[in-house]
Amino acid sequence: MSILTKSASSSAFVRQAAQIKITNVNDEPIMQGAKRLPFCYQRKINWTHNVKQFHRCSIQAFSAVGIVHNQAHTELNSQGSRKRGRPKKDNSSHGGKSHELSASIENLDSENGKQESAQGSSTFQRHLFQYRDDTANVFYEQFDSESEVSEALVKFVSELSKKSIDSHGWFTIALPGGSLVKLLKALVDDPSIDWMKWHVFWVDERVVPLNDNDSNFKLAMGMFLSRVKIPKNQVHHIKYGNDAKIVAKKYDQLMRGLVRRKILRLDSFNLFPQFDMILLGIGPDGHIASLFPNSLQLAEEREWVVAVLHSPKPPSERISMTLPCINAASHVCFAVVGSGKAEVIQRIMEKPALPGALPAQMVRPSNGVVYWFVDKAAAENLSVDAWGDPKKFPAMKYQDEKSR
Ligand SMILES: O=C1O[C@H](COP(=O)(O)O)[C@@H](O)[C@H](O)[C@H]1O
């Protein structure tokens, strides 16, 4: 078995990335993909686990991690930083001007979800916390109003659905609950969507009957799902009737069944399901899906779906996809509207937090892209125009050394 790094970038040992290909003795590829290794020790465990499932060669894989680290460093030192395109920066999107809807996946996507080119009308802005040694691609775009966010999001979902169906026959999307779902209402008016090829999941669900007003399924059905032609068996809701742990387990099994049927793809490296799109809202407390700040579930590394038994926000029993599951998606889209989210958006976008305090900051897909669709009201506390200027941002004054 060999591990090759094709490209790599890192300035710190614990934040490394590599295009990795693992081959067997006959040089046939076993796995390949772009990997970011945020915590090398944890990755060692995951890799050992993953490779064991495939080829029972955990010992080699374990020691090979060291080789990847070394190669990543060697390559970085000899070739400089990795190649990555950047979307065109256009501050008009922040100045309140109405603009051509720019959320076009054509402009932003390349094969594996990385941005290779900056052409087109994209006004997405590189996110502030886009550190040079990070491989996550995080983009932010601001709109004047909630209806503009909705229009852009619907266009984006529709385009991505076409692109996914063309490339692999299905569109797999995971929905949240809450205010985001209302923004999707206009999907019903898009005649170009091939609903027959959609598979809908929930990134989180409250463990309540499907006809309960708290049900995320019921919300999405009411907003658009019941009015489009998705075959019923492609709307993958929870099976209510047990406690949250069993509901989570069953949802996990449902997802694994769809992997076996080759409808859900597997992230070839981590072995997490790779949704074409995961949509996420944000609670005013900073929760995403049903992953609440500083909760145990945020530390989950292996499971795809977990139970939440004491959610701070009612109803208390929920299930949620885990962070590694979310981070395996090809596209993760946040859509956040309204002044009620202004404080939390500012904390997420502009204030580094302790790990776990702001789950949204932990959404960094290893081989995908994150987009933020935010309206002016939710963005009112941000200083987006200063993000690109290290002298203006973060907004702090360095104390004059002499006066200390
Ligand atoms: O409980 C939940 O809340 C969040 C946020 O909802 P919002 O109404 O404040 O936007 C949502 O994203 C999550 O899916 C849901 O279960």
Side-chain angles (χ1 to χ4, degrees), residues 176-180 204 206 216 281-284 287 289-290 313 318 341:
S179 54
L180 186 145
D204 75 313
R206 292 95 180 263
N216 288 344
I282 297 273
H287 78 273
S290 281
K313 175 180 175 182
R318 295 158 172 251
K341 304 285 167 69

Side-chain angles (χ1 to χ4, degrees), residues 147-196:
S147 62
E148 277 191 22
V149 171
S150 166
E151 203 180 329
L153 186 66
V154 163
K155 182 172 179 251
F156 199 77
V157 173
S158 165
E159 280 185 15
L160 186 63
S161 117
K162 263 179 241 125
K163 201 180 162 198
S164 307
I165 295 165
D166 286 349
S167 94
H168 46 265
W170 303 108
F171 178 50
T172 53
I173 179 169
L175 303 175
S179 54
L180 186 145
V181 186
K182 203 167 90 187
L183 304 174
L184 299 174
K185 215 171 168 183
L187 277 171
V188 291
D189 303 322
D190 186 335
S192 71
I193 295 178
D194 185 355
W195 295 105
M196 298 299 286

Side-chain angles (χ1 to χ4, degrees), residues 20-309:
I20 294 157
K21 186 176 172 193
I22 302 185
T23 54
N24 63 17
V25 280
N26 300 324
D27 217 26
E28 293 151 350
I30 300 169
M31 296 186 243
Q32 67 185 80
K35 283 310 306 150
R36 172 166 157 263
L37 311 173
F39 304 103
C40 55
Y41 177 67
Q42 293 167 9
R43 288 296 173 185
K44 277 181 190 175
I45 294 170
N46 278 346
W47 285 21
T48 307
H49 173 70
N50 293 340
V51 174
K52 204 155 122 193
Q53 283 182 7
F54 267 131
H55 285 274
R56 272 173 271 148
C57 47
S58 59
I59 309 283
Q60 289 98 317
F62 191 85
S63 54
V65 170
I67 298 170
V68 173
H69 285 320
N70 292 340
Q71 288 188 348
H73 274 290
T74 314
E75 204 161 325
L76 177 72
N77 292 341
S78 59
Q79 293 181 8
S81 62
R82 80 197 129 80
K83 199 177 106 194
R84 186 202 284 167
R86 277 156 200 268
K88 198 165 96 188
K89 186 177 163 187
D90 174 354
N91 286 335
S92 65
S93 62
H94 314 297
K97 268 189 253 159
S98 136
H99 57 91
E100 259 301 284
L101 288 175
S102 53
S104 164
I105 49 169
E106 293 308 322
N107 297 333
L108 293 167
D109 270 11
S110 71
E111 250 205 315
N112 62 2
K114 302 287 175 202
Q115 276 62 56
E116 300 293 356
S117 79
Q119 288 106 42
S121 61
S122 170
T123 53
F124 271 106
Q125 162 117 348
R126 203 92 173 146
H127 179 250
L128 174 68
F129 295 146
Q130 191 69 61
Y131 299 118
R132 266 163 221 239
D133 59 354
D134 198 342
T135 54
N137 278 299
V138 185
F139 294 94
Y140 169 92
E141 187 162 12
Q142 193 172 304
F143 298 85
D144 280 348
S145 61
E146 181 173 326
S147 62
E148 277 191 22
V149 171
S150 166
E151 203 180 329
L153 186 66
V154 163
K155 182 172 179 251
F156 199 77
V157 173
S158 165
E159 280 185 15
L160 186 63
S161 117
K162 263 179 241 125
K163 201 180 162 198
S164 307
I165 295 165
D166 286 349
S167 94
H168 46 265
W170 303 108
F171 178 50
T172 53
I173 179 169
L175 303 175
S179 54
L180 186 145
V181 186
K182 203 167 90 187
L183 304 174
L184 299 174
K185 215 171 168 183
L187 277 171
V188 291
D189 303 322
D190 186 335
S192 71
I193 295 178
D194 185 355
W195 295 105
M196 298 299 286
K197 302 283 168 50
W198 275 48
H199 278 264
V200 179
F201 300 78
W202 273 266
V203 67
D204 75 313
E205 181 56 285
R206 292 95 180 263
V207 181
V208 293
L210 295 177
N211 61 0
D212 190 294
N213 284 340
D214 274 332
S215 159
N216 288 344
F217 163 81
K218 184 180 176 186
L219 179 66
M221 286 300 277
M223 282 301 164
F224 71 102
L225 282 180
S226 62
R227 284 183 281 145
V228 295
K229 289 195 170 124
I230 304 184
K232 262 192 182 161
N233 62 355
Q234 292 175 202
V235 177
H236 306 289
H237 55 71
I238 58 160
K239 306 273 176 284
Y240 178 73
N242 287 293
D243 67 42
K245 280 190 185 162
I246 296 179
V247 174
K249 199 171 174 140
K250 288 196 169 169
Y251 207 65
D252 170 283
Q253 285 164 355
L254 180 153
M255 283 162 60
R256 286 177 199 274
L258 288 156
V259 168
R260 282 195 292 278
R261 286 171 55 201
K262 300 210 179 328
I263 286 162
L264 256 183
R265 295 173 303 150
L266 261 202
D267 166 351
S268 55
F269 223 90
N270 279 328
L271 301 186
F272 280 94
Q274 190 175 35
F275 286 92
D276 294 317
M277 175 173 258
I278 292 187
L279 294 174
L280 290 173
I282 297 273
D285 59 352
H287 78 273
I288 57 165
S290 281
L291 301 173
F292 289 85
N294 303 315
S295 65
L296 260 185
Q297 289 81 4
L298 287 170
E300 181 55 57
E301 288 181 345
R302 301 212 171 167
E303 300 295 338
W304 296 4
V305 183
V306 282
V308 177
L309 301 178

